[in-house]
Amino acid sequence: MELYAVIMAGGVGSRFWPESREARPKQLLSIFNEKSLIQNTVDRLEGITENKNIFIITNKIQKPGIVKQLPQVPEENIIEEPFGKNTAACIGLASALVAEKNEDAITMVLPADHRIEDLDKFREIILSAANYAEKCNGLVTIGIKPTRPETGYGYIQTNDMVEGDSIFHVKTFAEKPNYETAKRFVEAGDFYWNSGMFIWKISAILSEMESLMPELYEGVINIRKAIGTADYNKVLQREYGQFKSISIDYGIMEHSKKVYLIKGEFDWSDVGNWEAVYQLSDKSEDDNVLSGDIYSEGLKGSIIRTKKKFTALVGVENLIVVETDDALLICDRDKAQSVKQVVDHLKMKKKNDLI
């Protein structure tokens, strides 16, 4: 069994503005330690697969930063999408590239920007999922047991246990719920957070693509035929122009009868916004997370990240403050999701130097 890894690294992470920008997106930021999120993602694969078997799908703007941060990954494996078309197209392109290397490969599909603790357990679960994916010829996803009623994650409901006490047949997928629905999911006991991590045989995902997304499948086959030819870029542009912008969850996972879930028994977060960083970080006696030259008096429950300016905070609480060379964000922690609206505003005003 030869394992390949596909890392999806095309997003911007607009809820991490002003640190996250189009050319330096969330996955290239060093948020929790000296390494970036994508560097940590690749490091987690040590002992599971070789660097030559790691493919990173990104875009033209972000590729130079990824090449610089990941010298151990062959540059030809850092692949530019012509334009973003969501995860189904991304996974289709990656599947064509891996299939050209090894049609029998087992592939892990991983987002570039997750935080995972307990690496030994992570590796153990990935290998168990890979072994089951080879045996069942289905699509395996990693589900995280909920620790709270979280409205920012999708959920997966399981059905019958199929292997040991950790692998289940998937009954249904559920969208990000409101709080009351999330509470019911947690109380039911058979719902898991959707981690967005998948493990499957290349032949299995291509077979489900052919059945459930035939237009995508046809395009993927055309791209594969063009790999290594002078027409590759032209074919890639043409086929991507025809792909629907749809997630792999909507396009395939929610409709396939061959989806299985393995329990991800490790600390996990998709680090969706600055509030998630606050929750995951070590805190002071006043429940603050501080980085920079900061004076605080009566500051409580806040995350403050400054680069150059001395910053004083007096008698305030529950804040997100993030300073960069050209921008300053001040936000109530409860409104962390709304930071994306700042980026939408900047796009509307064509302030491209701040995006």
Side-chain angles (χ1 to χ4, degrees):
M1 179 176 68
E2 188 172 25
L3 273 172
Y4 281 71
V6 171
I7 299 174
M8 299 182 289
V12 175
S14 54
R15 292 182 179 88
F16 278 84
W17 187 89
E19 287 195 21
S20 183
R21 305 292 176 92
E22 284 186 345
R24 192 170 182 267
K26 178 176 73 166
Q27 56 265 23
L28 295 183
L29 301 180
S30 301
I31 293 177
F32 297 105
N33 53 37
E34 71 281 358
K35 290 192 174 183
S36 70
L37 292 172
I38 195 170
Q39 286 174 323
N40 285 319
T41 300
V42 170
D43 285 352
R44 283 196 288 274
L45 299 175
E46 188 176 344
I48 299 176
T49 190
E50 299 177 75
N51 290 329
K52 68 180 179 66
N53 289 351
I54 298 173
F55 283 85
I56 297 170
I57 312 297
T58 185
N59 55 53
K60 187 175 183 178
I61 295 174
Q62 296 175 14
K63 181 176 177 176
I66 292 174
V67 169
K68 185 176 179 182
Q69 287 200 3
L70 298 173
Q72 71 271 44
V73 176
E75 188 169 342
E76 62 268 24
N77 287 12
I78 300 174
I79 308 298
E80 297 174 20
E81 289 184 288
F83 25 82
K85 281 292 185 85
N86 215 316
T87 56
C90 170
I91 289 169
L93 171 59
S95 298
L97 294 163
V98 174
E100 196 60 19
K101 296 272 188 181
N102 182 350
E103 288 188 335
D104 298 318
I106 302 289
T107 305
M108 307 166 269
V109 179
L110 309 169
D113 52 5
H114 288 182
R115 183 176 188 256
I116 292 172
E117 299 297 310
D118 191 353
L119 299 190
D120 288 341
K121 193 67 179 176
F122 168 78
R123 291 170 181 139
E124 177 189 323
I125 287 166
I126 286 286
L127 291 173
S128 294
N131 286 325
Y132 191 72
E134 184 174 49
K135 182 168 78 172
C136 75
N137 205 34
L139 314 179
V140 182
T141 185
I142 297 177
I144 310 296
K145 194 69 177 174
T147 56
R148 61 187 182 278
E150 173 61 58
T151 60
Y153 298 154
Y155 287 72
I156 303 171
Q157 186 180 22
T158 56
N159 205 336
D160 302 325
M161 199 177 290
V162 294
E163 180 96 350
D165 61 354
S166 63
I167 302 180
F168 303 83
H169 193 267
V170 167
K171 184 176 182 180
T172 188
F173 284 74
E175 292 305 301
K176 295 175 182 178
N178 59 33
Y179 182 81
E180 288 303 318
T181 304
K183 197 173 171 185
R184 288 201 303 275
F185 286 170
V186 174
E187 289 169 352
D190 57 350
F191 282 86
Y192 293 79
W193 287 335
N194 185 350
S195 73
M197 293 184 274
F198 312 106
I199 303 94
W200 46 51
K201 274 185 187 176
I202 283 296
S203 57
I205 187 62
L206 289 175
S207 175
E208 291 300 273
M209 224 175 261
E210 185 177 17
S211 298
L212 300 169
M213 296 188 71
E215 298 90 353
L216 174 64
Y217 175 78
E218 184 180 342
V220 167
I221 295 304
N222 289 338
I223 291 169
R224 183 183 174 186
K225 288 175 182 174
I227 292 172
T229 73
D231 290 334
Y232 173 74
N233 286 325
K234 183 174 73 176
V235 173
L236 185 64
Q237 287 272 353
R238 184 190 72 215
E239 298 301 338
Y240 253 72
Q242 297 175 43
F243 287 160
K244 286 182 182 176
S245 183
I246 189 170
S247 72
I248 197 76
D249 294 75
Y250 281 137
I252 292 179
M253 303 299 283
E254 294 184 8
H255 305 289
S256 173
K257 305 300 182 189
K258 299 178 180 179
V259 182
Y260 303 90
L261 178 144
I262 185 167
K263 290 194 287 188
E265 296 172 318
F266 44 77
D267 288 336
W268 168 89
S269 172
D270 76 347
V271 199
N273 54 40
W274 287 119
E275 171 63 13
V277 176
Y278 173 82
Q279 294 293 343
L280 292 164
S281 299
D282 294 332
K283 300 172 186 64
S284 69
E285 287 182 7
D286 293 319
D287 288 329
N288 296 314
V289 179
L290 306 179
S291 174
D293 189 4
I294 296 163
Y295 169 84
S296 63
E297 179 66 40
L299 176 70
K300 293 180 181 178
S302 297
I303 176 169
I304 316 296
R305 292 168 67 96
T306 62
K307 298 283 186 182
K308 294 182 178 179
K309 295 183 180 70
F310 168 77
T311 305
L313 298 111
V314 180
V316 291
E317 57 186 73
N318 211 56
L319 289 180
I320 298 166
V321 177
V322 182
E323 176 240 345
T324 63
D325 289 344
D326 58 356
L328 174 67
L329 169 70
I330 302 171
C331 175
D332 189 296
R333 270 183 43 221
D334 295 336
K335 300 292 184 182
Q337 292 277 57
S338 300
V339 172
K340 182 179 184 294
Q341 294 172 17
V342 178
V343 178
D344 294 340
H345 168 80
L346 293 170
K347 287 178 180 176
M348 186 177 68
K349 294 294 184 180
K350 294 185 167 53
K351 294 192 175 186
N352 297 329
D353 55 321
L354 292 174
I355 299 173

